[in-house]
């Protein structure tokens, strides 16, 4: 026990020494040493070492560990603790104490109200009075639950293996995976005796067009594209969800955010390591997409769709006027035009202005030295090395949980170890994301036909390029016919290259 925990415990005990012991027999672990007598002896030894008086021993014979059956003595213990019989609970291991998140929350609640502290022979003390202690208890509860859901480690391992192999239990297949093996299996239709043949799918194999779509969507986001653009792309390709419906904007976003895209297995909401299926995208790209799509500062155009290149990007030229120029229609019949909220300089024909700016951008991107416009490469970032590092940390997390599960390390060691590993993983993940986020200019410079490449870009990406390259300020235009014979004052459009 760490010094910090020890002091927290003694405070929580408030100086009292009345303890109760809780033991439970179950078949979820093997070995005679886990019999009631041994559990009880260990608990009594713990009480003696700490100088606590054991006032009651509660015993439940709970053959099925995950039955959800009422444990009579456990309920009796809670009732007694409620009355203040004792403020210390001793158990052999946390998994003897509570078996479900509901039970754990009830226990946490009672512990807080009655100032009960919990000590286990195998995992040390649980400081339920601190948020981090409660969190740890919840995580351990999830781990214990996962293990006790099945009889014996072999079954638990098999289940975990199944999660790693695709987490597919026969429901709807996840978009991207499931290639028919040619075999079929019998399935009984719900609510009937009727049996039908369903194809057996290989969940480790990518469905080619769906895998390609996931890779394309990932690349689009990394090249400053939008989820909306990808959803449109999917619709154009005629790709549907695995329920056979068009893929909505939200569904498309969810698809891009699945760790399984990068071959990362998830179990009960936690990443548990490498899955056994073929990844659709490399992990750095996946991390980058998550970083981009979950960035709270990300500006999305959902709702009011932007239709013009410079809306909210071109600036008004009036000193001190910070108003962004918007596209508004003059009167009822005029052409769409850019104007600021205070209407400085009046409106500028939007189609003409956008065409002009577009020509400037394409001309600049077509110059032989345009490659130099690309942002600095993420120097010194060795993606391969980072990848190995993230893999190692993830394996360590899995090992720690296993070591705790088998009683080799204490709760404090487990918490401390996994906190450190998680912090390291966050750092590595952030670096991977930075290394993989592409410049919006990638794919536009160094290509043969910049004009064609520009036209192929969706508006959202064109706007990103504009923002990255050019500052456009609208000065008050001259009135009447211009020297070139037209009515648009190009001289009043001030441009400044940012790169
Ligand atoms: Zn203005």
């Amino acid at each position: 026990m760490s010094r910090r925990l020890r002091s927290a415990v003694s405070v929580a005990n408030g100086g009292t020494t009345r303890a109760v012991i809780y033991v439970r027999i179950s078949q979820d672990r093997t070995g005679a040493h886990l019999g009631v007598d041994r559990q009880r002896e260990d608990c009594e030894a713990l009480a003696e070492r700490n100088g606590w008086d054991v006032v009651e021993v509660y015993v439940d014979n709970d053959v099925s560990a995950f039955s959800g059956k009422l444990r009579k003595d456990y309920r009796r213990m809670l009732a007694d603790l409620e009355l203040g019989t004792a403020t210390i609970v001793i158990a052999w291991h946390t998994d003897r104490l509570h078996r479900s998140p509901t039970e754990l929350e009830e226990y946490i609640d009672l512990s807080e109200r009655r100032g009960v502290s919990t000590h286990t022979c195998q995992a040390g003390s649980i400081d339920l009075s601190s948020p981090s202690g409660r969190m740890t208890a919840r995580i351990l509860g999830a781990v214990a639950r996962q293990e006790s859901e099945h009889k014996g480690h072999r079954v638990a391992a098999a289940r975990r293996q199944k999660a790693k192999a695709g987490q597919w239990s026969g429901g709807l297949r996840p978009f991207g995976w499931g290639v028919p093996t040619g075999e079929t299996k019998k399935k009984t239709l719900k609510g009937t005796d009727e049996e039908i043949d369903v194809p057996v799918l290989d969940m480790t194999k990518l469905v080619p067009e769906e895998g390609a779509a996931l890779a394309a969507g990932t690349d689009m986001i990394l090249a400053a594209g939008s989820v909306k653009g990808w959803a449109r792309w999917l619709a154009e390709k005629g790709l549907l969800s695995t329920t056979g419906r068009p893929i909505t904007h939200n569904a498309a976003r969810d698809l891009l955010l699945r760790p399984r895209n990068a071959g990362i297995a998830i179990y009960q909401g936690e990443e548990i390591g490498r899955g056994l299926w073929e990844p659709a995208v490399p992990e750095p790209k996946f991390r980058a997409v998550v970083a981009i799509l979950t960035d709270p500062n990300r500006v999305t155009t959902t709702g009011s769709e932007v239709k013009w290149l410079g809306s909210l990007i071109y600036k008004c030229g009036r000193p001190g006027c910070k108003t962004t120029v918007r596209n508004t229609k003059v009167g009822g019949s005029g052409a769409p035009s850019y104007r600021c909220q205070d209407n400085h300089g009046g409106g500028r024909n939007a189609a003409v202005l956008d065409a002009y700016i577009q020509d400037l951008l394409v001309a600049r991107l077509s110059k032989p030295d345009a490659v130099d416009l690309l942002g600095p490469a993420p120097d010194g970032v060795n993606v391969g090395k980072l990848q190995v590092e993230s893999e190692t940390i993830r394996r360590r997390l899995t090992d720690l949980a296993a070591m705790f599960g088998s009683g080799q390390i204490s709760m404090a060691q487990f918490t401390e170890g996994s906190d450190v590993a998680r912090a390291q993983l966050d750092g590595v993940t952030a670096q991977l994301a930075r290394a993989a986020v592409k410049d919006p200019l990638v794919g536009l410079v160094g290509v043969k036909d910049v004009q064609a490449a520009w036209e192929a870009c969706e508006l959202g990406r064109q706007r990103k390029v504009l923002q990255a390259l050019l500052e456009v300020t609208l000065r008050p235009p001259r009135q009447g016919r211009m020297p070139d014979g037209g009515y648009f004052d190009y001289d009043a459009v001030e441009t400044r290259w940012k790169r």
Side-chain angles (χ1 to χ4, degrees):
M1 204 196 305
S2 75
R3 196 173 301 148
R4 193 164 50 83
L5 264 181
R6 200 188 295 273
S7 63
V9 164
S10 77
V11 169
N13 288 346
T16 66
T17 57
R18 275 168 298 118
V20 293
I21 290 174
Y22 180 78
V23 292
R24 179 162 69 88
I25 322 160
S26 74
Q27 284 186 345
D28 57 344
R29 290 199 184 224
T30 47
H33 64 285
L34 287 176
V36 167
D37 291 343
R38 173 64 196 272
Q39 283 185 45
R40 186 177 175 157
E41 271 169 34
D42 283 356
C43 291
E44 280 168 351
L46 182 66
E48 204 175 306
R49 276 201 303 279
N50 287 283
W52 299 324
D53 297 325
V54 176
V55 294
E56 180 82 70
V57 178
Y58 303 90
V59 183
D60 271 319
N61 190 339
D62 179 34
V63 177
S64 169
F66 183 54
S67 62
K69 262 188 290 183
L70 202 64
R71 290 179 291 163
K72 273 194 191 141
D73 259 25
Y74 179 76
R75 304 304 321 176
R76 194 161 66 82
M77 176 180 77
L78 293 191
D80 287 349
L81 290 172
E82 195 73 76
L83 293 172
T85 307
T87 52
I88 300 166
V89 172
I90 308 169
W92 193 78
H93 193 288
T94 46
D95 64 6
R96 299 292 118 172
L97 214 43
H98 21 253
R99 304 165 305 173
S100 73
T102 327
E103 278 186 358
L104 175 60
E105 292 308 320
E106 180 190 22
Y107 188 82
I108 286 174
D109 183 55
L110 171 69
S111 300
E112 263 184 322
R113 266 187 295 112
R114 291 293 166 201
V116 174
S117 66
T118 302
H119 306 263
T120 70
C121 303
Q122 290 300 299
S125 300
I126 310 167
D127 179 14
L128 294 171
S129 62
S130 80
S132 77
R134 285 193 292 271
M135 192 196 71
T136 308
R138 288 183 183 113
I139 293 171
L140 289 168
V143 172
R145 185 175 165 81
Q146 178 214 330
E147 304 220 326
S148 63
E149 264 177 354
H150 313 286
K151 285 176 193 152
H153 287 293
R154 263 176 49 196
V155 184
R159 175 49 89 87
R160 222 174 152 76
Q161 207 58 33
K162 201 177 165 194
K164 284 192 139 197
Q167 214 178 6
W168 192 67
S169 49
L172 273 175
R173 70 173 180 87
F175 182 90
W177 288 266
V179 172
T181 55
E183 289 165 32
T184 57
K185 63 175 177 201
K186 297 270 178 227
K187 196 186 166 195
T188 312
L189 280 177
K190 253 194 198 126
T192 67
D193 303 332
E194 200 182 334
E195 273 199 340
I196 51 162
D197 287 326
V198 289
V200 175
L201 302 177
D202 181 348
M203 299 310 296
T204 65
K205 294 263 174 1
L206 275 172
V207 176
E209 59 271 29
E210 291 179 357
L214 291 169
T218 298
D219 284 345
M220 278 168 91
I221 298 301
L222 295 182
S226 64
V227 173
K228 197 171 205 165
W230 185 52
R232 207 160 40 224
W233 185 93
L234 289 168
E236 279 163 14
K237 299 259 173 204
L239 286 165
L240 300 171
S241 75
T242 49
T243 53
R245 294 201 188 90
I247 297 166
T248 61
H249 176 270
N250 283 341
R253 184 175 187 274
D254 290 347
L255 282 180
L256 293 176
L257 290 174
R258 294 175 310 173
R260 72 155 27 251
N261 292 354
I264 300 164
I266 296 288
Y267 191 68
Q268 297 184 339
E270 294 274 325
E271 290 188 10
I272 58 165
R274 213 28 72 198
L276 300 175
W277 59 93
E278 218 181 320
V281 296
E283 183 177 341
K285 282 191 177 184
F286 164 72
R287 299 278 176 212
V289 163
V290 172
I292 292 170
L293 294 183
T294 58
D295 177 2
N297 298 319
R298 179 176 162 84
V299 182
T300 54
T301 52
T302 344
S304 62
E305 198 182 347
V306 178
K307 293 192 182 70
W308 297 88
L309 183 64
S311 292
L312 305 162
I313 299 177
Y314 298 156
K315 289 194 172 93
C316 168
R318 181 65 64 97
C321 173
K322 298 271 186 239
T323 323
T324 325
V325 177
R326 292 162 189 279
N327 165 59
T328 48
K329 230 167 186 160
V330 191
S333 58
S337 54
Y338 287 103
R339 56 182 74 237
C340 79
Q341 271 171 7
D342 294 336
N343 202 22
H344 292 135
R348 280 79 157 179
N349 186 299
V352 176
L353 181 55
D354 279 359
Y356 172 60
I357 296 301
Q358 200 156 303
D359 286 348
L360 284 180
L361 289 169
V362 171
R364 180 68 191 93
L365 292 166
S366 306
K367 282 191 179 173
D369 70 342
V371 231
D372 299 338
L373 291 172
L374 287 178
D379 288 339
V381 176
N382 184 331
V383 175
K385 215 181 127 213
L386 284 174
Q387 194 100 59
V388 172
E389 208 178 319
S390 94
E391 202 69 18
T392 314
I393 298 170
R394 216 165 274 137
R395 210 167 33 239
R396 190 154 27 137
L397 275 169
T398 314
D399 289 349
L400 279 171
M403 284 163 77
F404 178 78
S406 60
Q408 291 176 61
I409 55 170
S410 72
M411 163 95 69
Q413 285 170 315
F414 171 72
T415 317
E416 203 172 316
S418 43
D419 282 354
V420 171
R422 267 176 218 290
Q424 285 172 342
L425 191 59
D426 285 349
V428 171
T429 302
Q431 282 190 64
L432 277 173
R434 259 204 304 279
V437 178
K438 282 191 202 157
D439 194 299
L441 266 53
V442 170
L444 276 172
V445 293
V447 298
K448 229 170 118 196
D449 189 348
V450 176
Q451 181 74 42
W454 171 267
E455 279 161 20
C457 286
E458 57 168 300
L459 185 63
R461 173 144 179 228
Q462 292 179 341
R463 286 164 56 83
K464 290 262 165 63
V465 173
L466 168 66
Q467 277 174 305
L469 273 189
L470 195 61
E471 194 179 291
V472 179
T473 311
L474 305 179
R475 302 285 172 200
R478 288 168 288 175
Q479 298 300 310
R481 200 176 278 264
M482 299 297 131
D484 66 1
Y487 287 93
F488 193 89
D489 186 0
Y490 290 98
D491 291 343
V493 181
E494 194 178 286
T495 55
R496 191 182 66 81
W497 294 104
K498 292 180 175 172
R499 292 190 190 173

